[in-house]
């Protein structure tokens, strides 16, 4: 076994022990009576979110070590893999010991967590100290950057021929149908063409997780993550087209009546029905308990919906809206919410919302184009009597909660794809651009950026895959999904920002695709649960014992 894998296993063990110290110190502050105090949880957000970030960083180390072990067992652990492990562990162990960046300016340090002494002891542990000294160094980063410049990439085999084939198919499709056109579509603020959507449907993109009995591929969340990653490597909006189908498919598949499943799932899987998620309202944001849009049952059993929704992606071209509404005005909070399957007419440029009772105004955005965002006004919009999901009122929030894991895993996969897109553009530019008589890749600060981008993207990818595997096992994985989304979104933004820096002034020019990728990357820390919401959920769950502070790893055990 590689000496660095052996050292990584020991270093990971020390990190897990340190995480338990952080958890206990945080619990002492926010759970003085043994149960989490909601007011203290809010007041101590820096501390609680710091716990979440430390835990997510350690989960990424665990997933990366698992990846390295699998690669070695398969005979794929070469120099690129060893350098990825060394650099990744060196960087993340240093962050855990000295300060984890929650954002560009918010660094949570051991002193703020009440664990300064434990952090010093952690950093002094021999294998941790070895990574701090010899993991991410100018020499290892230069060696890794040289391999990357030569076209060598860290192992990406999934250990499953079918999944490897899915990746190959999606990568080939993206290279031909998405990447060459994405920037022109972005600049024109154009919808992804219908013929491209038809090609995606033919490849099974919209039915990856829908059971074969209902016309889907029935492959599971890991396959979904691979598909989303590869499409997003060409353009995040291509990867995001599948998100609405994923959410709708899971909502209906898990909660729908047999008739609803038979009606909607085959149409979603074959792309003839494009769904959109209609949850957010202007004044609610992440506070879904405050949803006010009303769904009123009529004498004939149908529904009339009145209210306002916002940030609705792909709304005009959608055929089905999964709509969270309040059907019981007398029940406050989550209990009065229901999910409606609201059929609508697909809009056109001339008439984006032709149905009675619905109007939409486009929200102009920096990036994440190709589907368009809308604010919707609903005034007695009609929903059929059979549109109540599962035929049960008051279950909307619970039904939606079950989709959060899959949606956040897919968002993490999109972030990984965006990070790779940024890396690809940065490396290509650095190889072709010469300054002072040599390629940019020869300058240490550029090489550092490329090496760190690639190493962290592998780590984010493997954390995302780990969450997807947990979901495929049928286990509760909201914390794992949140960690993947939290860390991958940061990795994507960091990669895009550094890629722009490598481009220099040209990175700020609209004609260069990296300008688009920067705008696209920024949304990842906001949608599907903002980073602060993710950290709050993770921290609260860890403090409440929802997930163990350290879990066993099959591959690394």
């Amino acid at each position: 076994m590689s000496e660095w894998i052996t050292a990584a296993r020991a270093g990971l063990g020390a990190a897990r022990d340190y995480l338990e110290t952080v958890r206990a110190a945080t619990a002492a502050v926010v759970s003085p009576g043994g149960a989490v105090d909601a007011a203290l949880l809010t007041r101590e957000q820096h501390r609680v979110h710091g716990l979440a970030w430390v835990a997510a960083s350690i989960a990424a180390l665990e997933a990366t070590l698992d990846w390295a072990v699998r690669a070695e067992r398969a005979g794929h652990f070469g120099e690129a893999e060893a350098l990825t492990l060394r650099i990744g562990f060196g960087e993340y162990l240093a962050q855990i010991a000295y300060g984890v960046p929650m954002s560009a300016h918010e660094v949570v340090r051991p002193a703020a967590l009440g664990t300064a002494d434990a952090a010093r002891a952690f950093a002094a542990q021999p294998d941790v100290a070895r990574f701090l000294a010899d993991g991410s160094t100018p020499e290892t980063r230069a060696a890794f950057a040289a391999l990357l410049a030569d076209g060598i990439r860290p192992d990406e085999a999934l250990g499953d021929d079918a999944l490897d084939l899915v990746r190959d198919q999606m990568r080939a499709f993206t290279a031909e149908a998405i990447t060459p056109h994405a920037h022109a579509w972005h600049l024109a603020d154009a919808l992804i063409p219908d013929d491209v959507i038809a090609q995606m449907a033919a490849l099974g993109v919209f039915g990856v997780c829908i059971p074969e009995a209902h016309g889907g591929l029935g492959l599971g969340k890991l396959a979904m993550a691979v598909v989303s990653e590869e499409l997003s490597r060409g353009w995040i909006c291509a990867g995001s087209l599948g998100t609405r189908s994923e959410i709708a498919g899971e909502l209906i598949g898990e909660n729908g009546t047999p008739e609803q499943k038979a009606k909607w799932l085959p149409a979603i899987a074959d792309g003839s029905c494009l769904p959109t998620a209609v949850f957010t309202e202007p004044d609610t944001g992440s506070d879904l308990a405050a949803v006010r849009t009303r769904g009123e049952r009529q004498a004939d059993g149908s529904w009339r919906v009145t209210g306002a929704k916002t940030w609705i992606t792909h709304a005009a071209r959608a055929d089905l809206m999964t709509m969270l509404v309040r059907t019981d005005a007398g029940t406050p909070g989550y209990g009065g919410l229901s999910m409606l399957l609201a059929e609508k007419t697909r809009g056109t440029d001339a008439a984006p919302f032709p149905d009675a009772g619905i109007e939409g105004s486009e929200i102009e955005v920096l990036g994440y184009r190709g589907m368009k965002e809308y604010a919707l006004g609903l005034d007695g919009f009609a929903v059929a009597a059979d549109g109540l999901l599962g035929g049960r009122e008051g279950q909307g929030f619970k039904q939606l909660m079950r989709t959060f894991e899959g949606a956040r895993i897919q968002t993490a996969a999109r972030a990984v794809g965006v990070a790779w897109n940024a890396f690809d553009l940065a490396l290509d530019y650095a190889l072709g651009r010469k300054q002072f008589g040599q390629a940019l890749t020869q300058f240490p600060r550029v090489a550092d950026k490329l090496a760190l981008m690639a190493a962290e993207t592998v780590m984010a990818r493997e954390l995302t895959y780990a969450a997807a595997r947990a979901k495929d096992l049928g286990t509760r994985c909201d914390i794992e999904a949140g960690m993947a989304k939290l860390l991958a979104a940061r990795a994507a933004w960091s990669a895009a920002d550094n890629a722009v820096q490598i481009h220099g002034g040209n990175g700020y020019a609209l004609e260069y695709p990296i300008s688009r990728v920067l705008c696209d990357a920024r949304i990842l820390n906001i949608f599907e649960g903002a980073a602060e919401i993710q950290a709050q959920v993770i921290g609260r769950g860890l403090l409440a014992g929802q997930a163990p502070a350290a879990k066993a790893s099959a591959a690394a055990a």
Side-chain angles (χ1 to χ4, degrees):
M1 179 173 288
S2 163
E3 61 175 311
W4 286 105
I5 290 179
T6 301
R9 180 176 285 119
L12 178 59
R16 288 169 172 162
D17 292 341
Y18 175 67
L19 174 59
E20 176 54 31
T21 301
V22 175
R23 191 202 63 77
T26 307
V29 174
V30 302
S31 309
V36 175
D37 183 298
L40 291 175
L41 192 74
T42 298
R43 191 192 75 184
E44 299 292 335
Q45 278 192 347
H46 185 84
R47 185 190 298 266
V48 173
H49 293 191
L51 166 64
W53 273 103
V54 170
S57 300
I58 292 171
L61 292 174
E62 183 176 73
T64 304
L65 177 56
D66 283 358
W67 162 80
V69 170
R70 290 194 304 272
E72 186 176 58
R73 289 174 179 171
H76 299 163
F77 193 79
E79 185 179 4
E81 290 71 31
L83 288 169
T84 300
L85 184 70
R86 286 179 65 178
I87 293 168
F89 262 69
E91 289 292 326
Y92 274 36
L93 289 174
Q95 290 179 12
I96 293 164
Y98 304 123
V100 179
M102 298 190 292
S103 70
H105 294 109
E106 297 171 289
V107 178
V108 59
R109 297 181 174 87
L113 298 172
T115 58
D117 290 342
R120 282 191 288 270
F122 165 67
Q125 195 274 347
D127 290 286
V128 174
R130 183 182 183 189
F131 275 107
L132 296 182
D134 298 322
S136 181
T137 67
E139 293 75 21
T140 57
R141 295 191 296 269
F144 191 31
L147 293 176
L148 296 168
D150 286 340
I152 297 171
R153 298 290 180 269
D155 184 49
E156 59 185 16
L158 288 153
D160 183 311
D161 290 343
L163 289 176
D164 289 337
L165 179 60
V166 167
R167 186 194 298 281
D168 291 343
Q169 290 177 329
M170 287 299 112
R171 184 169 294 177
F173 168 76
T174 299
E176 179 180 349
I178 303 296
T179 304
H181 313 291
H183 200 56
W185 293 334
H186 164 81
L187 291 177
D189 195 13
L191 292 170
I192 294 178
D194 286 335
D195 68 309
V196 174
I197 293 178
Q199 293 176 62
M200 293 171 66
L203 287 170
V205 168
F206 304 119
V208 172
C209 296
I210 291 176
E212 291 182 90
H214 291 295
L217 299 180
L219 292 178
K221 302 303 182 184
L222 182 54
M224 174 268 291
V226 172
V227 169
S228 299
E229 175 190 339
E230 291 301 328
L231 290 170
S232 298
R233 193 166 184 165
W235 191 20
I236 188 176
C237 297
S240 295
L241 268 174
T243 305
R244 268 127 291 284
S245 296
E246 170 69 20
I247 292 172
E250 187 162 7
L251 272 172
I252 298 169
E254 294 291 326
N255 306 286
T257 64
E259 293 78 14
Q260 288 169 340
K261 294 177 185 180
K263 177 179 180 179
W264 292 113
L265 292 181
I268 292 171
D270 69 17
S272 59
C273 171
L274 297 178
T276 188
V278 184
F279 309 142
T280 306
E281 296 188 0
D283 297 322
T284 62
S286 298
D287 184 13
L288 292 177
V291 162
R292 293 186 294 178
T293 296
R294 303 188 312 279
E296 298 175 315
R297 193 188 292 272
Q298 306 301 296
D300 63 358
S302 65
W303 300 84
R304 293 293 182 272
V305 179
T306 300
K309 296 288 187 177
T310 193
W311 293 109
I312 310 305
T313 304
H314 217 199
R317 192 159 54 174
D319 307 291
L320 172 68
M321 299 184 291
T322 53
M323 186 183 295
L324 189 67
V325 301
R326 188 166 297 281
T327 55
D328 183 355
T331 301
Y334 301 124
L337 300 178
S338 299
M339 189 70 67
L340 296 181
L341 304 178
E343 191 169 2
K344 64 178 284 292
T345 302
R346 187 178 296 199
T348 64
D349 289 340
F353 296 95
D355 295 316
I358 182 171
E359 294 181 350
S361 57
E362 184 181 348
I363 303 171
E364 295 184 352
V365 290
L366 291 171
Y368 194 56
R369 299 174 179 178
M371 293 174 291
K372 296 185 182 292
E373 304 292 326
Y374 290 91
L376 300 182
L378 302 156
D379 186 7
F381 179 76
V383 179
D386 63 358
L388 179 64
L389 181 62
R392 300 174 62 198
E393 287 191 55
Q395 301 298 307
F397 182 75
K398 292 179 181 178
Q399 292 166 341
L400 180 59
M401 283 291 289
R402 298 186 190 111
T403 73
F404 282 174
E405 293 175 350
R408 287 171 179 169
I409 292 168
Q410 189 178 51
T411 301
R414 287 183 284 171
V416 172
V418 170
W420 281 129
N421 193 357
F423 170 80
D424 293 339
L425 292 169
L427 179 59
D428 183 68
Y429 187 85
L431 287 170
R433 178 77 166 178
K434 288 186 168 52
Q435 293 284 283
F436 307 105
Q438 56 184 340
L440 290 182
T441 51
Q442 300 302 309
F443 292 93
R445 287 292 304 282
V446 173
D448 279 352
K449 289 178 175 63
L450 292 168
L452 292 169
M453 288 162 65
E456 186 169 44
T457 302
V458 169
M459 298 176 79
R461 181 190 72 194
E462 294 306 316
L463 181 59
T464 301
Y465 290 176
R469 290 185 178 102
K471 182 70 173 174
D472 284 336
L473 289 173
T475 59
R476 181 176 181 176
C477 62
D478 52 337
I479 286 183
E480 291 86 346
M483 287 177 174
K485 198 269 184 186
L486 185 71
L487 192 139
R490 187 189 68 181
W493 173 249
S494 177
D497 186 40
N498 279 300
V500 168
Q501 190 70 20
I502 288 172
H503 279 71
N506 286 334
Y508 209 63
L510 289 178
E511 67 180 285
Y512 281 82
I514 191 57
S515 66
R516 176 193 83 244
V517 176
L518 183 75
C519 293
D520 290 344
R522 190 59 190 89
I523 192 61
L524 288 158
N525 257 321
I526 299 173
F527 66 7
E528 297 295 347
E532 292 77 11
I533 294 295
Q534 298 297 320
Q536 188 83 349
V537 170
I538 295 164
R540 184 176 61 224
L542 292 172
L543 290 166
Q546 179 179 326
K551 11 177 230 186
S553 168

